[in-house]
């Protein structure tokens, strides 16, 4: 089972589950824990190979990584803790994991909050994936990861997010990075399906206005999925909205969850 941490709120029956992105860990939510614990029970997860789950790689995760198997890791924790339903908050690739979980187990998901959501790989991100596939066995993974982080989060005000993810990525292993990177082979058909299919689950996209790689596609999907989805764009903010603008992120997301 992947590693997890709980912060209980005795006055609430609502659960909020946080799912980080590739190369991160549950530590990226440090600016959310205090505020969210005031209102909800909080569950933080370390996805396989990340954070405190990296010690479990050899024993448990020898099979091929898929978004479905990673979503089942999350479900296993919920079942273990007897959490029947939860609101889910994700960042970057974590939003894909949440959407995959909702696809298969919609009754377990009360709402989805998608920060820095990935719904389509634009031309630049497609080039990034191709370069990564070419060099993933040649270059040290941290060199590739630093390059990816700089392309996705290039501005001065993105520096904190960039450094946070790079520091967390240092805890990965080369083989683990390659396992996760191979997920890109299945990402396009998965994202195409997500863009086409609207789930009857309240969905809140929180995007930075400077998230040039992913914001345009999210705008289009929200227009199409208007029955269930809403979009909030954070000014002067890049891809990792919860780190760069935590006060706004916390306020808007908590309000959204309370409405649902």
């Amino acid at each position: 089972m992947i590693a997890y941490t709980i912060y209980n709120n005795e006055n609430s029956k609502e659960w909020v589950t946080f799912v980080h992105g590739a190369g991160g860990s549950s530590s990226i939510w440090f600016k959310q824990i205090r505020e969210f614990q005031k209102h909800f029970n909080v569950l933080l997860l370390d996805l396989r190979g990340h954070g405190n789950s990296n010690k479990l790689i050899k024993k448990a995760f020898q099979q091929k990584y898929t978004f479905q198997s990673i979503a089942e890791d999350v479900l296993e924790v919920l079942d273990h803790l007897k959490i029947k339903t939860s609101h889910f908050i994700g960042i970057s690739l974590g939003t894909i994991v949440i959407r995959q979980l909702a696809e298969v187990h919609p009754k377990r998901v009360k709402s989805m909050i998608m920060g820095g959501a990935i719904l389509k790989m634009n031309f630049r991100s497609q080039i990034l994936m191709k370069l990564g596939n070419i060099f993933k066995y040649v270059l040290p993974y941290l060199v590739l990861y630093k390059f990816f982080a700089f392309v996705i989060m290039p501005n001065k005000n993105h520096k904190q997010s960039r450094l946070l993810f790079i520091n967390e990525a240092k805890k990965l292993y080369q083989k683990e990075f390659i396992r996760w990177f191979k997920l890109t082979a299945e990402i396009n058909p998965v994202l195409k399906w997500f863009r086409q299919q609207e789930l009857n689950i309240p969905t809140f996209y929180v995007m930075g206005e400077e998230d040039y790689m992913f914001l345009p596609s999210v705008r289009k999907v929200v227009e199409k999925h208007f029955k269930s989805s809403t979009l909030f764009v954070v000014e002067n903010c890049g891809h990792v909205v919860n780190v760069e603008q935590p006060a706004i992120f916390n306020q808007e997301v908590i309000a959204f969850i309370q409405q649902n």
Side-chain angles (χ1 to χ4, degrees):
M1 185 183 300
I2 59 174
Y4 64 87
T5 305
I6 292 174
Y7 295 89
N8 287 117
N9 181 328
E10 296 180 356
N11 299 316
S12 176
K13 294 182 180 180
E14 297 289 321
W15 281 91
V16 174
T17 301
F18 288 86
V19 183
H20 63 79
S25 76
S26 58
S27 66
I28 71 159
W29 305 109
F30 69 99
K31 294 184 178 182
Q32 278 67 58
I33 296 170
R34 180 178 296 178
E35 287 302 313
F36 279 81
Q37 191 186 10
K38 293 178 182 177
H39 306 277
F40 317 107
N41 296 287
V42 172
L43 172 61
L44 305 180
L45 301 172
D46 283 329
L47 298 179
R48 56 173 69 178
H50 294 71
N52 290 326
S53 293
N54 66 357
K55 301 171 185 176
L56 309 174
I57 297 171
K58 293 181 180 179
K59 293 182 180 179
F61 302 138
Q62 295 298 326
Q63 76 272 31
K64 178 185 175 183
Y65 287 14
T66 65
F67 287 111
Q68 177 62 40
S69 64
I70 294 167
E72 291 297 331
D73 290 346
V74 176
L75 186 66
E76 183 181 21
V77 175
L78 295 181
D79 289 343
H80 174 72
L81 298 173
K82 295 181 172 56
I83 300 173
K84 294 182 178 180
T85 61
S86 176
H87 303 272
F88 286 85
I89 302 175
I91 195 75
S92 194
L93 187 135
T95 63
I96 303 178
V97 177
I98 291 171
R99 182 62 172 77
Q100 180 66 51
L101 178 63
E103 189 74 31
V104 183
H105 303 283
K107 293 183 179 179
R108 307 295 293 271
V109 182
K110 298 192 76 170
S111 71
M112 299 185 289
I113 293 87
M114 310 298 224
I118 300 174
L119 288 175
K120 187 177 183 179
M121 306 300 285
N122 67 4
F123 178 74
R124 288 191 180 186
S125 53
Q126 296 278 9
I127 294 297
L128 276 181
M129 288 197 302
K130 288 180 180 179
L131 288 173
N133 275 313
I134 292 170
F135 293 110
K136 66 177 181 284
Y137 293 110
V138 179
L139 293 175
Y141 78 91
L142 207 53
V143 173
L144 283 174
Y145 198 87
K146 287 179 179 179
F147 175 65
F148 295 157
F150 188 80
V151 173
I152 296 171
M153 299 170 272
N155 295 359
K156 287 184 179 180
N157 56 309
H158 307 164
K159 184 177 180 180
Q160 182 184 10
S161 303
R162 198 163 58 237
L163 292 177
L164 177 63
F165 270 79
I166 289 171
N167 287 333
E168 286 299 316
K170 290 177 181 177
K171 301 173 185 177
L172 288 174
Y173 302 109
Q174 180 85 11
K175 289 182 179 179
E176 185 65 12
F177 173 83
I178 291 171
R179 287 192 187 104
W180 275 87
F181 199 86
K182 284 181 178 179
L183 274 173
T184 59
E186 69 169 87
I187 199 169
N188 285 327
V190 168
L191 294 182
K192 184 178 180 180
W193 175 261
F194 291 168
R195 293 195 303 272
Q196 292 174 343
Q197 301 297 317
E198 180 176 8
L199 297 179
N200 188 29
I201 296 174
T203 305
F204 188 38
Y205 292 94
V206 187
M207 305 293 294
E209 68 172 350
E210 298 167 356
D211 193 355
Y212 66 95
M213 290 184 73
F214 303 114
L215 177 57
S217 59
V218 170
R219 288 189 188 276
K220 292 179 180 178
V221 169
V222 171
E223 289 178 4
K224 183 180 177 182
H225 296 178
F226 62 90
K227 293 180 181 179
S228 63
S229 301
T230 54
L231 169 63
F232 183 83
V233 178
V234 184
E235 296 180 355
N236 302 313
C237 187
H239 184 58
V240 191
V241 285
N242 66 300
V243 173
E244 291 181 35
Q245 297 285 359
I248 296 173
F249 180 88
N250 295 347
Q251 176 183 320
E252 295 297 326
V253 172
I254 289 171
F256 175 81
I257 293 175
Q258 289 176 332
Q259 291 172 3
N260 291 279

